[in-house]
Amino acid sequence: MKSAATLTNQWQQELSAAVSAAHEAGVAIRADFGERQVTSRKGRYDIQLRADLVAQRTILRHLSQRFPHYGVVSEEGMQDTWEHSRMTWVVDPLDGTNNFGYGIAHCAVAITLFDAETPVLSVVVDPITGREFTAIAGPSRNRPTRVPTAVGHATVALVTDYSEEGRVTGRRIEDVLSQNCKRVTTMWAPALDLALVSAGALDAMVSRNASLLDVCAGIFLVQTAGGCVLGTDGRPLRLEKSLHRGAVSFVAAGTEELALDLLDLAFSAPGW
């Protein structure tokens, strides 16, 4: 049996590399903040910027030099390699691309490492402010004290998919949440939203039909910090690599009570 110290230290080299890669990517793209240098359009509502590609190249170069035998899944053209390696980096090089292009400082670089099915670390770095959020598998330390927040006092982030149906349903969910919560934000940067939930800066996030790549780093942050992430069945979400095979819907909150209340509200919206 591995000791607590061994479990904590096992992934430190990988964590250090991921943190360095994320910050390096942030430096590489910072000068493009507010510049809409579109390289591709992903349907009607989503885009790829030059900054996405620059960040991805920077991260992959850094990680491949340190861990050449690890697999990589990344958002820009590298999403068919989930099953190729036991050790798999999952990279969202620029979470909140539209925000970045319009000069809205709500975006992030997100990196997760999976050992087979299990996440072992995650990093979310804000390339504009330099804020850094990290989590690593092992004994929990320095978890923030969770002050219960009533749903009526909660500030909640909402993220849905980019489909037409998703946007319509998202507006219905937002309407229900707005009638019952203090504030609802729709900033379309789920990794950073979840990082803020993990730190207690946001009370919760409701997500419908997300891609695992977009949310795995943030979910791991919330769970490791002692927060609650519930699937649509009302049970704690088991974060596994195989979730990439379908859309991921969940509620993440600082406490289980708030997560359950928000799940009930989201389910009451027509179309969920």
Side-chain angles (χ1 to χ4, degrees):
M1 178 180 291
K2 294 179 180 179
S3 68
T6 301
L7 286 169
T8 302
N9 295 328
Q10 183 178 5
W11 308 107
Q12 287 292 343
Q13 290 185 358
E14 286 89 344
L15 179 63
S16 176
V19 169
S20 296
H23 280 289
E24 187 178 334
V27 170
I29 65 175
R30 197 168 295 144
D32 287 345
F33 181 61
E35 299 290 332
R36 294 190 291 281
Q37 301 180 51
V38 179
T39 53
S40 178
R41 294 192 179 275
K42 305 176 180 180
R44 184 176 176 184
Y45 302 112
D46 199 11
I47 57 173
Q48 177 192 83
L49 297 178
R50 188 182 83 93
D52 288 280
L53 300 176
V54 170
Q56 179 167 285
R57 285 196 298 268
T58 302
I59 294 166
L60 268 55
R61 181 178 65 248
H62 191 102
L63 295 180
S64 63
Q65 288 174 349
R66 292 286 303 276
F67 302 96
H69 302 299
Y70 287 16
V72 178
V73 174
S74 192
E75 183 165 7
E76 309 305 334
M78 298 181 63
Q79 295 196 45
D80 59 352
T81 55
W82 285 93
E83 313 297 341
H84 288 193
S85 305
R86 172 176 177 134
M87 303 303 302
T88 306
W89 295 106
V90 178
V91 178
D92 188 348
L94 184 53
D95 175 53
T97 294
N98 279 286
N99 293 343
F100 183 91
Y102 279 90
I104 300 169
H106 192 78
C107 49
V109 176
I111 302 173
T112 311
L113 180 62
F114 282 86
D115 178 3
E117 282 289 296
T118 306
V120 295
L121 67 85
S122 72
V123 174
V124 174
V125 169
D126 181 334
I128 308 307
T129 67
R131 290 179 295 181
E132 175 188 307
F133 308 85
T134 65
I136 191 168
S140 301
R141 295 182 178 180
N142 300 321
R143 286 184 169 180
T145 301
R146 298 286 178 178
V147 178
T149 301
V151 69
H153 297 154
T155 296
V156 182
L158 171 64
V159 175
T160 61
D161 65 280
Y162 280 112
S163 70
E164 292 289 348
E165 184 271 338
R167 291 173 69 87
V168 170
T169 303
R171 285 192 288 270
R172 292 169 178 165
I173 297 170
E174 182 179 4
D175 184 56
V176 171
L177 294 176
S178 296
Q179 294 178 44
N180 291 274
C181 301
K182 182 181 76 174
R183 185 182 178 203
V184 180
T185 68
T186 54
M187 295 296 289
W188 297 89
L192 185 56
D193 286 345
L194 287 162
L196 294 173
V197 173
S198 76
L202 277 175
D203 295 309
M205 188 179 94
V206 175
S207 176
R208 182 179 183 271
N209 290 350
S211 164
L212 179 65
L213 186 148
D214 293 331
V215 297
C216 58
I219 289 174
F220 190 62
L221 285 171
V222 174
Q223 292 177 332
T224 305
C228 179
V229 182
L230 300 180
T232 55
D233 60 359
R235 299 177 180 177
L237 181 72
R238 187 176 180 88
L239 182 59
E240 296 180 331
K241 188 170 71 172
S242 57
L243 289 176
H244 79 89
R245 296 169 187 157
V248 185
S249 299
F250 61 90
V251 173
T255 63
E256 183 179 17
E257 181 180 3
L258 179 57
L260 286 169
D261 287 344
L262 290 170
L263 190 61
D264 287 342
L265 288 172
F267 272 148
S268 72
W272 182 296

